[in-house]
Amino acid sequence: YASDEAVFTRQVYEPPLQYHYLKRPYELIPLTAAEVPRPKLIEKGGTTYSVYEIRIRPGIRYQPHPAFVSENQNLQEKRIEGLKSPYDLPLATRELTADDYIYQIKRLAHPQLHTPIFGLMSEYIVGLKEYAERLKDAVKPGQWLDLREHAIEGVTRVDAYTYRVMLKGRYPQFVYWLAMPFFAPMPWEAEKFFHQGGMAEKNFTLDWWPVGTGAFMLSQNDPNSRMVLERNPNFRGEAYPSAGEAGDAGRGLLADAGKTMPFIDKAVYTREKEAIPLWNKFLQGYYDLSGIGSDNFDQAVRVSLEGDAALTPEMESKGIRLDTTIAPTIYYLGANWLDPVVGGSQGGEAAERARKLRQALAIAVDWEEYLSIFANGRGVPSYSPLAPGIFGYREGAEAINPVTHEWKDGKARRRPIEAARKLLAEAGYPEGRDASTGQPLVLYLDTTSRGPGDKAVMDWWRKQFAKLPVQFEPRQTDWNRFQEQLRKGSTQLFIVGWNADYPDPENFMFLLHGPQSRVNSQGENASNYRNPEFDALFERMRNMPNSPERQQVIDRMTEIFRRDAPWIGGFHPKNFALFHHWLGNAKVNEISGNGLKYLRVGPGKREAARREWNLPLLWPMVLTLFALIASIIPAVIAYRRRERMAARPAV
């Protein structure tokens, strides 16, 4: 589930669906499935159920693996001790079947396995929660639990290539889970093979040696040194996409349209313990792609006054390409709805004062400046709860928040600070003082920032509040204490973030759903925001298909969000990736993760560049030699002069 692991598991395991490599917004397409399934709604006992029928393509075969050889299922421990790799054993394969997908869904409930999505899925997949309870009684210490012998009500086999999953109610986001490794197939033979005595002692485990049908197989696994993905010789092949975004053709991303993937035979991952050697080796051509650390940013990228990023002449001279993408992530300054000063739960005139105060702060906090100073410009301000690339996100003039920005000369311009001060006065705090008491307004930011390097950030925040003017006080704590404060609702202002689990507006809008308040239900609504109209629209929107009607609902929810301002602005981080000119079809896909099969490498161009960029420098050797000769000559002359001197007579 972690992004570091996905670099490998996404190349090996194949769930039924995947995301289109080039298109944005992200679009689900079949992988092993024949088509993207659509739910069939049925009524049973007065309850609505959604039934997904998934049909996989016949003829798909697993990678070569010893688990598919029957003799390897009963190995002696001495035989296992002598192995350096599981692949030292005889190898075989077999065809992928629907039973393998069913087996993996059953594994979500296995009492001896950690499944981070079990809690969520058990609320939807019929019988999964009860299935987990039954398996607790079936587990025997030291014995392999054959899940084929235990049926589950909501997951059934139709035929060798078809299975059904029954969900409680409507949950259209389920198709997104069908693109994640949790729902990739698992052959029972692999689980049984790695359960043999002596396997774990040799690090021969399923989480160390994945078994899949993907384009690649993990042939070497030494995380401290080197990991290797090699082409799966049994891979059926897959056609490179023939359509993409506007501009993809001009970037050469459609040159391989229709050709069979993968295009490379091997990918080697080498561990670098320090960032500087990694960066230098990339510049020398020994790595094909690289991110950009803060220490190397100025060497790699130039940022214009308008915030546009371009490569430096040094990078351009090497033919390096830059790919930037806005991550489906949001970081925001939240206001606790339960706080008497900045919150809105009190209702009436107090709520209206707090609303105008939040709006004033949203104008004053210059996120464009924050990104420029602290993130090298790597990000864009947020105008709504949705991240770019998610359905419902608006572009251009339609995207801006009219409370905080204006659209001028084709760009979003932050409203002048005078507009914020006017709102502050309307909120009852002229010149930053309570009109009724004359006391200065003090606002508190709860933060985990504690190191000396964070002083500049805190000074920046103090400057933003001082524009109004409002007194700013940071309340610093550790991470655990900060989480406790969020759970108890004892914060006032705070900064948190959210990464998309799947590209659907429901996965962002639920962060503002009243019933999912952090204080009341331990949900992800950290602001404890509650608006009856917003909540009603959310319940309507979450189960709608992507359509103009859903867009209208999202637009209204966004309008409410902007007016209430439970989040006082924020930003979406921009990721930068560098690719050498010999690496083809490279495009960042923040959701999919299975992009290795799309890449093409020109080994001849790479070798030529390495020779050109790593020529031996002879002039230091020549200069050193001349310096050595120059230092020796005076000594030789002095020695010869001494040898030729006449002997002095004794006195």
Side-chain angles (χ1 to χ4, degrees), residues 534-602:
F534 186 96
D535 292 344
L537 290 170
F538 175 82
E539 295 295 348
R540 180 183 171 195
M541 180 277 301
R542 69 186 307 177
N543 293 323
M544 295 177 70
N546 290 342
S547 62
E549 292 76 16
R550 196 183 199 201
Q551 181 70 66
Q552 290 178 0
V553 174
I554 291 172
D555 289 343
R556 177 54 185 160
M557 295 173 71
T558 302
E559 184 180 342
I560 296 170
F561 162 82
R562 290 168 174 169
R563 180 183 182 278
D564 286 350
W567 298 351
I568 303 170
F571 68 94
H572 310 289
K574 180 184 291 187
N575 293 334
F576 284 54
L578 299 177
F579 308 106
H580 281 299
H581 63 274
W582 59 76
L583 187 67
N585 303 331
K587 182 175 182 176
V588 176
N589 188 314
E590 297 285 354
I591 295 289
S592 182
N594 65 343
L596 186 61
K597 62 187 176 185
Y598 300 93
L599 300 181
R600 180 185 288 278
V601 174

Side-chain angles (χ1 to χ4, degrees), residues 344-397:
S345 62
Q346 59 271 53
E349 182 181 350
E352 182 65 13
R353 290 182 60 188
R355 180 181 66 82
K356 291 186 176 182
L357 171 59
R358 293 191 302 272
Q359 289 182 345
L361 292 171
I363 296 173
V365 178
D366 191 340
W367 288 100
E368 292 88 347
E369 182 181 89
Y370 176 91
L371 291 168
S372 175
I373 296 174
F374 300 108
N376 301 113
R378 288 183 279 186
V380 296
S382 65
Y383 305 118
S384 80
L386 300 181
I390 304 299
F391 179 84
Y393 180 83
R394 293 290 192 178
E395 300 280 356

Side-chain angles (χ1 to χ4, degrees), residues 141-191:
Q143 294 184 14
W144 171 59
L145 177 61
D146 189 352
L147 298 178
R148 294 175 299 168
E149 300 176 357
H150 303 271
I152 179 173
E153 180 184 357
V155 186
T156 54
R157 180 184 190 271
V158 178
D159 57 44
Y161 305 109
T162 311
Y163 65 103
R164 293 192 184 112
V165 181
M166 181 183 291
L167 306 181
K168 303 169 188 174
R170 294 176 174 87
Y171 186 52
Q173 289 78 21
F174 182 69
V175 290
Y176 294 115
W177 290 102
L178 292 178
M180 299 184 72
F182 296 113
F183 290 89
M186 179 57 63
W188 65 268
E189 298 96 330
E191 197 179 59

Side-chain angles (χ1 to χ4, degrees), residues 200-467:
E201 289 75 11
K202 294 285 293 185
N203 257 349
F204 295 168
T205 58
L206 190 55
D207 59 354
W208 203 263
W209 298 100
V211 184
T213 59
F216 296 93
M217 51 188 287
L218 187 62
S219 61
Q220 184 177 342
N221 187 1
D222 182 0
N224 291 319
S225 177
R226 173 186 169 102
M227 299 176 72
V228 178
L229 286 166
E230 293 192 48
R231 180 196 290 259
N232 173 8
N234 298 331
F235 186 61
R236 64 199 175 278
E238 185 181 349
Y240 187 88
S242 57
E245 284 187 293
D248 281 350
R251 297 169 58 194
L253 290 171
L254 293 175
D256 284 323
K259 296 180 181 178
T260 302
M261 303 184 295
F263 301 124
I264 64 175
D265 295 322
K266 181 188 293 186
V268 180
Y269 300 81
T270 306
R271 183 188 180 194
E272 294 286 352
K273 297 182 179 180
E274 297 181 12
I276 293 178
L278 173 62
W279 175 249
N280 289 337
K281 289 180 182 179
F282 169 72
L283 295 181
Q284 292 172 319
Y286 292 107
Y287 291 124
D288 300 318
L289 66 163
S290 173
I292 308 177
S294 57
D295 293 338
N296 312 117
F297 188 84
D298 291 338
Q299 183 182 358
V301 175
R302 296 175 298 176
V303 180
S304 67
L305 294 176
E306 292 76 20
D308 298 325
L311 289 171
T312 61
E314 178 187 355
M315 299 296 110
E316 291 179 343
S317 67
K318 289 178 173 287
I320 292 173
R321 303 193 313 275
L322 171 66
D323 191 7
T324 63
T325 181
I326 306 299
T329 300
I330 187 168
Y331 291 97
Y332 61 88
L333 175 63
N336 182 10
W337 209 247
L338 305 178
D339 183 81
V341 177
V342 300
S345 62
Q346 59 271 53
E349 182 181 350
E352 182 65 13
R353 290 182 60 188
R355 180 181 66 82
K356 291 186 176 182
L357 171 59
R358 293 191 302 272
Q359 289 182 345
L361 292 171
I363 296 173
V365 178
D366 191 340
W367 288 100
E368 292 88 347
E369 182 181 89
Y370 176 91
L371 291 168
S372 175
I373 296 174
F374 300 108
N376 301 113
R378 288 183 279 186
V380 296
S382 65
Y383 305 118
S384 80
L386 300 181
I390 304 299
F391 179 84
Y393 180 83
R394 293 290 192 178
E395 300 280 356
E398 293 181 312
I400 67 167
N401 181 352
V403 173
T404 60
H405 286 73
E406 299 173 292
W407 189 260
K408 290 184 177 180
D409 302 323
K411 290 187 177 181
R413 305 289 184 183
R414 185 168 290 275
R415 290 189 178 277
I417 194 63
E418 288 74 19
R421 290 170 181 163
K422 182 175 182 294
L423 283 168
L424 186 69
E426 293 175 1
Y429 302 102
E431 298 300 320
R433 291 182 175 273
D434 192 317
S436 59
T437 66
Q439 295 296 316
L441 174 61
V442 181
L443 296 180
Y444 299 93
L445 175 65
D446 294 283
T447 174
T448 58
S449 302
R450 301 185 70 184
D454 294 318
K455 182 180 182 301
V457 178
M458 290 300 106
D459 288 343
W460 182 86
W461 278 107
R462 192 170 283 106
K463 174 185 173 184
Q464 303 305 300
F465 283 65
K467 296 176 189 175

Side-chain angles (χ1 to χ4, degrees), residues 14 43 121 223 307 400 434 498:
E14 289 190 305
E43 295 292 331
M121 287 299 132
I400 67 167
D434 192 317
W498 179 259

